[in-house]
Amino acid sequence: MQTITLKLELQKPTKEKISMYYKMTEINTAFSNWLLHYENIKTATSKVFRLFSEEKFPSAIVNQTIREVKSKRNHQRAKKFQRLWCGFNNQNLRVEKDHQLYKVSFPTLHKRIGVPVFVKKYQQYWLDRLLSGKVKQGASELYEKRGRWFMAITLSFEVKQNSSEQGMKMMGIDVGLRQLAVASVGTSTIFFNGREMAYKRRRFASRRRELGKAKKLSAIRTLKDKESRWMKDTNHKISRQIITFAWENGVHLIRMEDLAGIRHSAKSRKEPGRNLHSWAHAQLQQFIQYKAQMKGIQVQYVNPKHTSQMCKNGHVNKRNRNGDRFYCIECGYQSHAEVNASINIAKAISGLSKKGL
Ligand SMILES: [Zn+2]
């Protein structure tokens, strides 16, 4: 079972609504902190709220907060909640569609309200799947960020192995040495050249060797920190650009190679030095994954076998790949090697790996 969170911005709430949302959050936070020290929480029902306050507060939110506080008490030492946004279960938060307009409806201090939301293209895909019962709705949360109010809805769904779901737009990302990353969606491709990065890393390495000879250990540590900060920064930039590209192309699913098993494979013998880069590559994939998930884009890992050797007609031969070039010796299909690989990754030609499932 996989889950994603859709963050839907509420359309232009009035000043009255905004102050009500703040008030609800305030009451909920105070109530949660009161509950943290309430002895009979195990058997508590929504009626417990009356012991805390005489104000009116939706029992739907009370129930979610009880659940939240219980799990916090079970999993960690009870600390104070700085803030607890109002939560709703799948029965109390409803998604509705009226012509092309999507709405979320939920109980508030006064009554249940239906609020239109801004829906991005990829979100529409998921909301339609929700409305047709293909994915399950989990908990939701009403929250504010930089003055805008959102409803975050959790969706969960089964991932079918090896099935390319109809209407699902996929992107394959090949992370490598010559090209740091190549992402392909259909016929569009984006390249991130690895040359400059390789050059910079070689300079870091030679500087480290000099310092090593001079036995300047603390200087080595400083340099290592500097290199990893630079690497992290670069990976953030690249992953951001890749996700923007994915988002602009309406991608629903990103596939990448599972690099964990690659160290001992033929691929690393053919590309010496790949090991040196493995942690940087793993970090780049990790950044891509969490940025994708923030946008509601699903991520899968595939087995790396044959991704760089197979042509689009299914012929596999080690000799098909020669540096940057791909040329199929059986059918003559030609392509850029990494583009070909990223298309094979998108298709998951050797199946999905267990990672992330
Ligand atoms: Zn071929």
Side-chain angles (χ1 to χ4, degrees), residues 310-316 320 326-333:
M310 191 190 275
C311 86
K312 70 170 179 183
N313 298 317
H315 306 125
V316 180
N320 283 354
F326 182 91
Y327 179 82
C328 177
I329 57 172
E330 274 181 74
C331 69
Y333 170 72

Side-chain angles (χ1 to χ4, degrees), residues 7 22 85 143-150 294:
K7 293 164 181 170
Y22 275 122
W85 301 115
Y143 74 99
E144 176 264 352
K145 197 175 179 187
R146 293 196 195 102
R148 290 145 69 197
W149 283 87
F150 297 84
M294 276 165 58

Side-chain angles (χ1 to χ4, degrees), residues 318-337:
K318 268 190 270 185
R319 286 181 291 158
N320 283 354
R321 182 180 179 168
N322 188 359
D324 274 351
R325 301 287 316 138
F326 182 91
Y327 179 82
C328 177
I329 57 172
E330 274 181 74
C331 69
Y333 170 72
Q334 293 186 43
S335 171
H336 187 287

Side-chain angles (χ1 to χ4, degrees), residues 19-281:
S19 67
M20 179 176 71
Y21 298 157
Y22 275 122
K23 193 174 176 202
M24 285 164 67
T25 309
E26 208 176 288
I27 295 174
N28 196 46
T29 305
F31 172 56
S32 66
N33 284 319
W34 177 84
L35 260 188
L36 270 178
H37 306 288
Y38 176 64
E39 279 174 25
N40 304 321
I41 187 165
K42 274 188 189 139
T43 54
T45 65
S46 62
K47 290 188 184 117
V48 76
F49 189 83
R50 270 188 237 148
L51 298 175
F52 164 71
S53 163
E54 301 199 331
E55 269 176 291
K56 263 183 83 184
F57 201 60
S59 57
I61 301 174
V62 172
N63 284 326
Q64 279 302 104
T65 301
I66 291 172
R67 198 166 306 166
E68 188 80 20
V69 174
K70 265 188 199 166
S71 99
K72 188 161 176 131
R73 285 208 338 190
N74 287 341
H75 295 298
Q76 61 202 87
R77 273 174 167 271
K79 276 192 218 135
K80 204 173 169 256
F81 284 93
Q82 286 305 314
R83 182 171 49 200
L84 188 66
W85 301 115
C86 293
F88 309 89
N89 69 13
N90 56 358
Q91 273 138 46
N92 292 299
L93 185 284
R94 287 199 291 267
V95 176
E96 291 150 14
K97 187 182 183 183
D98 187 7
H99 295 90
Q100 284 311 303
L101 189 69
Y102 293 85
K103 277 184 181 178
V104 291
S105 93
F106 54 93
T108 66
L109 290 181
H110 308 300
K111 56 172 192 231
R112 171 175 279 276
I113 55 173
V115 183
V117 287
F118 292 112
V119 174
K120 290 169 182 160
K121 217 173 163 191
Y122 73 89
Q123 295 176 327
Q124 197 173 333
Y125 169 84
W126 288 106
L127 289 178
D128 289 342
R129 288 173 67 83
L130 172 65
L131 290 166
S132 61
K134 285 182 186 139
V135 297
K136 277 196 198 129
Q137 186 184 325
S140 305
E141 194 175 75
L142 174 70
Y143 74 99
E144 176 264 352
K145 197 175 179 187
R146 293 196 195 102
R148 290 145 69 197
W149 283 87
F150 297 84
M151 186 62 78
I153 307 177
T154 310
L155 303 176
S156 59
F157 49 93
E158 295 289 351
V159 179
K160 290 188 210 95
Q161 291 262 342
N162 263 335
S163 73
S164 58
E165 290 187 55
Q166 277 206 329
M168 194 121 170
K169 210 164 177 189
M170 312 212 203
M171 175 162 107
I173 303 175
D174 185 40
V175 173
L177 275 187
R178 286 186 194 83
Q179 300 294 336
L180 193 61
V182 177
S184 290
V185 192
T187 52
S188 318
T189 302
I190 182 171
F191 286 89
F192 294 91
N193 197 300
R195 218 172 295 148
E196 195 192 336
M197 177 172 285
Y199 170 73
K200 225 170 157 176
R201 298 200 75 186
R202 276 200 303 276
R203 285 204 13 206
F204 270 116
S206 81
R207 182 88 188 105
R208 258 202 315 272
R209 273 195 303 276
E210 283 167 29
L211 292 171
K213 276 180 202 154
K215 298 217 162 40
K216 292 184 174 164
L217 296 180
S218 77
I220 292 178
R221 214 171 302 133
T222 312
L223 190 72
K224 274 189 179 162
D225 290 348
K226 198 176 163 192
E227 182 179 7
S228 63
R229 271 199 309 276
W230 162 77
M231 194 70 247
K232 197 173 172 185
D233 188 50
T234 308
N235 279 338
H236 269 305
K237 277 182 200 150
I238 295 168
S239 53
R240 204 178 307 136
Q241 288 175 51
I242 288 178
I243 296 307
T244 304
F245 176 73
W247 193 76
E248 283 166 353
N249 280 280
V251 168
H252 305 114
L253 171 64
I254 286 177
R255 283 181 172 152
M256 297 185 277
E257 283 178 305
D258 180 358
L259 297 174
I262 220 166
R263 224 156 293 165
H264 310 291
S265 74
K267 202 160 179 172
S268 68
R269 275 198 298 276
K270 232 172 35 186
E271 286 182 38
R274 189 161 186 149
N275 290 351
L276 285 176
H277 296 253
S278 61
W279 72 265
H281 289 161

